[in-house]
Amino acid sequence: MEQENAAVEAFRAEFTDTINKLIVYVPYFKKNKASDVSASYDGKYGKSSLKFPVFDGTLMEFIKVAQNTVLIDRNYPYVYSRNQIKTHEKELQLINRATIRDTGILKGIFSKYVLEGRTKSNRWAEGVEYGIYLAVIEKLKGILDFYKNV
């Protein structure tokens, strides 16, 4: 019992501020899909021969906040190899099954979509389209709420 209380207290200490910062974006992720948050550059400010996405301001604000939270784990590829994650379905399956002891998995999956978006232009939109950001935030909030009175 003491070990469980210690795990709950450690979880609260590590994640409460982060959850409170990110929970405000849940309605945004519930109503938007990738096509709503990104579009190809239309040449409005000059022609370009390169195709690149232009992202919604709210998504960019979320990414900026998310990058500075405890959810970012630069070693996220190890989470993917250790858990043999190769599809979006497997990611969502692991997120849905996660418990208070699986925060490393949640951090790894979340980190992939936040960090890879810097170099792979479609990754941020994928995080919205497949519900990765929403699922991780809601799972962490659910864990926090479950242990509220412990």
Side-chain angles (χ1 to χ4, degrees):
M1 187 69 167
E2 281 185 38
Q3 288 178 334
E4 186 174 334
N5 287 342
V8 170
E9 287 307 315
F11 179 85
R12 282 187 190 141
E14 185 175 4
F15 293 104
T16 300
D17 288 341
T18 294
I19 293 167
N20 290 334
K21 287 178 187 174
L22 299 180
I23 199 76
V24 298
Y25 295 98
V26 166
Y28 171 79
F29 289 127
K30 283 185 176 180
K31 77 172 189 173
N32 289 303
K33 292 293 176 201
S35 59
D36 301 325
V37 300
S38 97
S40 292
Y41 177 67
D42 61 4
K44 184 176 177 182
Y45 298 105
K47 297 253 184 235
S48 174
S49 60
L50 299 174
K51 235 182 156 180
F52 58 92
V54 177
F55 295 102
D56 178 67
T58 305
L59 178 61
M60 295 310 300
E61 179 184 306
F62 167 78
I63 295 297
K64 192 174 186 179
V65 171
Q67 289 179 85
N68 296 312
T69 66
V70 297
L71 288 177
I72 299 303
D73 177 7
R74 297 199 186 290
N75 291 321
Y76 69 87
Y78 295 113
V79 171
Y80 276 77
S81 63
R82 194 173 29 240
N83 294 288
Q84 299 161 350
I85 304 171
K86 296 187 186 335
T87 65
H88 299 296
E89 292 79 20
K90 177 80 176 202
E91 290 169 333
L92 290 170
Q93 185 181 62
L94 287 171
I95 292 168
N96 290 331
R97 287 192 312 204
T99 66
I100 195 167
R101 303 205 186 281
D102 300 319
T103 55
I105 293 171
L106 296 174
K107 289 168 75 171
I109 294 170
F110 188 83
S111 296
K112 174 186 176 182
Y113 287 91
V114 172
L115 296 176
E116 283 188 5
R118 296 175 180 172
T119 55
K120 296 179 180 175
S121 63
N122 64 335
R123 194 64 77 207
W124 289 333
E126 277 183 28
V128 176
E129 182 67 30
Y130 294 104
I132 302 296
Y133 301 131
L134 178 63
V136 170
I137 294 167
E138 286 184 328
K139 177 52 85 170
L140 289 169
K141 178 70 170 143
I143 292 170
L144 186 66
D145 290 346
F146 182 79
Y147 289 105
K148 198 173 208 167
N149 296 322
V150 173

